[in-house]
Amino acid sequence: MSPAARLRALKPDWMSDPKAWRTEVLGGLVVALALIPEAISFSVIAGVEPALGLFASFTMAVTISIVGGRRAMISAATGAVALVIAPLNREHGLGHLIAAVILAGGFQVVLGALGVAKLMRFIPRSVMVGFVNALAVLIFMTQLHELTGVPWPVYPLFAGGLALLVFLPRITTVVPAPLVSIVALTALTVAAGIAVPTVGDKGALPTTLPVPGLPDVPFTLDTLTTIAPYAFAMALVGLMESLMTAKLVDEITDTRSNKTRESIGQGVANIVTGLFGGIGGCAMIGQTMINVKVSGARTRVSTFLAGAFLMVLCIVFGPVVSDIPMAALVAVMVMVSFATFDWHSIAPKTLRRMPAGEIGVMLVTVACVVVTHNLAVGVVVGSLTAVVVFARRVARVAHVTSVLDPDGGEVVYRVTGELFFASADGLVGLFDYADDPDRVVIDLSGTRIWDATSVAALDAVEARYAQRGKSVVITGLDASSAELHARLSGELAVGH
């Protein structure tokens, strides 16, 4: 095979498909337009100039498109990260904020290398559904302030934008409906001279590219101790949101992502962003949904172009972009919120079939996110709630049944279910110590020992029988249970 033929064989199919190219390019353009007001808003939250949020969105998207582990996912400046580092900026200044972004990136690289992404398998589906639904609610809620206290023309413009987003895809999908909606409403407001809030009202757009440099802080231990708590919190929040978003995109696209690479990539992107003076960020669920679900993008090209187009739009087409009515972008984001929400999860048919505990976990996750406006808090609380629900359910599964030998010389107790700290707690009270014969067999072939609490409970049972001069034989342990029992039995007495 010739070198040219080998190169063609290695080239992905989409690279020779004009339709796929068009999808990726237009998807990146729509995302770039949607990123501008979001990045400016998050800059306000962090207490910095709008340019720093836009620089962060540019460097995050471009860098993660190269080093990230989830194709087509959008990373940029986010509200969660801005909320974490805003107090640092207020109390110590911009230099410390930038230094914290770089340190947070370093933490993410280390955590990614240590395998933090593997913890994703401990997040149950009910938490994932709650995360998605809470996200949809947050996206919708963040748009409401753009529809209150505004001139009346905003409302028909918003309605018209929604109409285009709903009905245009039924006619044609050659051009993404969000792009058509943004262009059409912008042209209408400019041509008719309609005075409504625009992107330009959010803040001035940058006119030059960012320049790399080190943060203006003293490189001392005192600086490190000041920024480290904020940097670590930012690293955790950013990784959690990014990995949850990656998992959601995996399900939507029916593909798998390399979450360890994504974790390390997020760190690299934040280091690069900090060196270019940006406020840092992570995966953006709203813009990712625009890219993947609305525009249909599937490759790194759309992510790269989202960042590249963002800078081109700001620097080259700044005056035009400034004229985009916020009503057009609000319509896009509201449509994204409705498309993101898992409506099947709250359908009466689904609720009747789902266990009450699963529904409760989903509702707790949604409530925590909506109240705190922090997706990480909702995921952590939801996961802990799921653990409690699971423990309560499994704790009721352990049962003990007894069979007395016909000659009365032996009794066999059969334990079924799982033995761990919750179910083992009541094990000691399930035996008839006074009336049982001198030989007691405890058959554990129908269970498994998971922790020290279970071993301690079995020791307590043996001790009570021993006080009455009776012997206990434990049988049926699998290999791991036998090893744990042999290692801990007799070593767990209080004060030992």
Side-chain angles (χ1 to χ4, degrees), residues 62-429:
V62 169
T63 306
I64 206 67
S65 71
I66 300 169
V67 301
R70 172 63 260 178
R71 296 190 301 273
M73 191 167 76
I74 305 297
S75 290
T78 59
V81 168
L83 285 169
V84 170
I85 59 178
L88 181 62
N89 182 52
R90 286 196 302 268
E91 296 171 15
H92 300 280
L94 180 61
H96 283 73
L97 183 153
I98 301 301
V101 171
I102 297 173
L103 182 59
F107 282 143
Q108 288 177 328
V109 171
V110 172
L111 289 171
L114 292 175
V116 69
K118 295 177 182 178
L119 297 177
M120 285 297 294
R121 68 178 184 268
F122 295 109
I123 299 178
R125 184 183 181 279
S126 53
V127 173
M128 187 67 188
V129 172
F131 167 83
V132 171
N133 290 346
L135 193 53
V137 173
L138 278 188
I139 293 173
F140 181 79
M141 289 176 62
T142 55
Q143 305 308 308
L144 293 180
H145 73 277
E146 300 291 349
L147 298 173
T148 55
V150 294
W152 70 265
V154 168
Y155 302 108
L157 287 172
F158 170 70
L162 281 181
L164 282 172
L165 292 168
V166 171
F167 295 110
L168 185 61
R170 302 181 184 181
I171 301 172
T172 179
T173 56
V174 173
V175 182
L179 182 58
V180 174
S181 176
I182 291 169
V183 172
L185 294 184
T186 303
L188 175 61
T189 54
V190 172
I194 302 173
V196 292
T198 63
V199 170
D201 296 331
K202 291 290 184 180
L205 302 181
T207 56
T208 59
L209 288 171
V211 178
L214 294 175
D216 183 18
V217 294
F219 291 87
T220 62
L221 182 60
D222 183 58
T223 299
L224 179 63
T225 56
T226 299
I227 66 174
Y230 295 96
F232 192 66
M234 174 185 164
L236 292 179
V237 169
L239 281 181
M240 187 171 295
E241 292 207 23
S242 299
L243 293 175
M244 290 292 287
T245 304
K247 187 175 181 180
L248 176 60
V249 177
D250 289 354
E251 294 182 2
I252 292 173
T253 61
D254 196 24
T255 58
R256 296 189 65 180
S257 59
N258 186 334
K259 294 182 179 60
T260 295
R261 177 177 173 179
E262 180 63 33
S263 302
I264 296 173
Q266 287 290 329
V268 173
N270 272 304
I271 292 173
V272 171
T273 296
L275 291 175
F276 276 90
I279 61 173
C282 62
M284 292 192 77
I285 184 69
Q287 276 66 19
T288 297
M289 289 299 100
I290 292 175
N291 196 45
V292 174
K293 207 164 186 178
V294 179
S295 299
R298 291 293 183 270
T299 75
R300 298 178 186 274
V301 173
S302 58
T303 306
F304 178 88
L305 290 178
F309 281 147
L310 175 64
M311 280 293 98
V312 172
L313 289 169
C314 290
I315 296 172
V316 180
F317 300 102
V320 176
V321 173
S322 296
D323 287 333
I324 295 175
M326 286 303 300
L329 297 175
V330 171
V332 172
M333 296 308 294
V334 167
M335 197 65 190
V336 168
S337 71
F338 276 87
T340 302
F341 197 91
D342 186 353
W343 296 100
H344 175 73
S345 66
I346 61 170
K349 185 178 179 180
T350 304
L351 295 176
R352 285 196 297 269
R353 293 183 176 181
M354 287 288 289
E358 300 278 327
I359 297 172
V361 169
M362 180 185 71
L363 293 176
V364 166
T365 304
V366 172
C368 287
V369 172
V370 171
V371 170
T372 64
H373 283 223
N374 190 321
L375 294 167
V377 171
V379 171
V380 170
V381 175
S383 298
L384 292 176
T385 304
V387 169
V388 173
V389 170
F390 174 77
R392 286 177 59 85
R393 185 183 302 165
V394 176
R396 296 193 294 266
V397 171
H399 300 287
V400 175
T401 56
S402 63
V403 177
L404 186 64
D405 189 75
D407 62 10
E410 178 183 277
V411 63
V412 178
Y413 283 94
R414 178 172 173 78
V415 182
T416 57
E418 302 296 330
L419 285 182
F420 68 115
F421 63 89
S423 60
D425 186 55
L427 184 67
V428 179

